[in-house]
Amino acid sequence: MRAEVRAFVVEQLADMNYDVEDIDDDTTLGPSGVDLESLALADLAVRVEDRYGLKFADDESEKLALMTVGEFTTMVADRVAGATSDHS
């Protein structure tokens, strides 16, 4: 699941015209890495929410900017796994 989420996140970043060539799990989403601005972070969050049926809390957006790609994809994968196990 994590690999699928990571591929989706990178694909969305590319779709949003970000350079994904040098992205790895240690690349931060915010200023020192991918350099997503708050609107782009919100866009990415909405795309992930729509794709995986998740909802991020409003106060999470600041935390997302500090996360690495690896941390973000792990968090999303864990939530998807948790949501799946809640419904079964």
Side-chain angles (χ1 to χ4, degrees):
M1 172 52 85
R2 189 182 176 288
E4 178 193 322
V5 172
R6 187 184 187 289
F8 178 79
V9 167
V10 171
E11 182 182 297
Q12 296 313 304
L13 291 172
D15 185 57
M16 294 160 63
N17 296 318
Y18 284 91
D19 180 9
V20 296
E21 196 171 302
D22 296 326
I23 288 181
D24 62 25
D25 281 353
D26 296 326
T27 305
T28 59
L29 293 171
S32 59
V34 181
D35 200 18
L36 296 182
E37 296 174 0
S38 57
L39 281 174
L41 268 170
D43 186 12
L44 178 62
V46 167
R47 291 174 184 223
V48 169
E49 286 175 344
D50 290 347
R51 171 68 177 83
Y52 294 102
L54 303 176
K55 188 75 181 123
F56 293 107
D58 292 339
D59 63 352
E60 283 186 297
S61 57
E62 288 178 26
K63 291 180 202 162
L64 296 182
L66 301 174
M67 286 185 163
T68 64
V69 171
E71 291 167 339
F72 180 68
T73 54
T74 298
M75 178 188 76
V76 171
D78 287 349
R79 288 190 185 184
V80 171
T84 306
S85 64
D86 287 348
H87 296 300
S88 52

